[in-house]
Amino acid sequence: MATNKIILRIEEEGAREAAEIVDAAKKKAAASTEKIKAAAKVKIEEINAQAAADADEAARRQILIAELEARKNSLDSKRKVLEMAFAKAEENIAAMPEAQWEKLITNIVVKAAETGTEKLCVPAADRAKYEGGFLDRLNAALVQAGKKGELTLSDEAAKFAGGILLQGKTSDFDGSFATILKDVRTRIEKEVADMLFAAEVK
């Protein structure tokens, strides 16, 4: 009888302890679950924040690329307009009236001639003008400027379309219109650009 009581007591105690263990395990599991959920929530928020930051960075880069492309296109357009402006200037020089052409050549020769005894290399299309009296007028202009008026025509035709080449004893002067325009462009291209695009800058 006593033995049965002891066995019963042990069973009761074991059941109680088992219940306590199960209850503790449930509480621990519940705590672990909450901890895991909290950690997962934090991780999700971090992932969402990183995704948003990545999206913002991608958008910023796309905007930057678009701005650079627009700037490049704008510069290309401006360059084309400048090319057209200088090409038009070259056309105007080539088509200028003879009196204006003669005045331009005279200015070039008077300023560029060192001695007044140089040879003039001119385009074949202009040779008749020099032989028809323009060479004499050039020499007269040189004398008036205090230089010798002893220019002569070279037998060789110039390889450029317009202008003149002065061949001296020590050096030559390239007075071709193409070279003159190139020099002018180097000096005033920024000024021309400012004139063409002034409205855009404002």
Side-chain angles (χ1 to χ4, degrees), residues 14 22 24 35 78 97 108 142 179:
V22 169
K35 188 175 181 182
K78 288 179 180 180
I108 293 171
L142 283 172
T179 298

Side-chain angles (χ1 to χ4, degrees), residues 46-59:
E46 288 177 355
I47 291 171
N48 288 337
Q50 186 61 49
D54 290 344
D56 289 344
E57 178 62 17

Side-chain angles (χ1 to χ4, degrees), residues 87-106:
K88 186 64 178 176
E90 190 171 356
E91 287 177 14
N92 290 343
I93 289 175
M96 69 174 62
E98 188 167 336
Q100 192 176 351
W101 172 87
E102 188 170 314
K103 184 178 180 181
L104 176 59
I105 295 294
T106 301

Side-chain angles (χ1 to χ4, degrees), residues 147-163:
K147 299 178 181 181
K148 290 183 179 180
E150 300 175 8
L151 298 174
T152 56
L153 284 175
S154 170
D155 294 332
E156 183 182 356
K159 296 178 181 179
F160 44 80

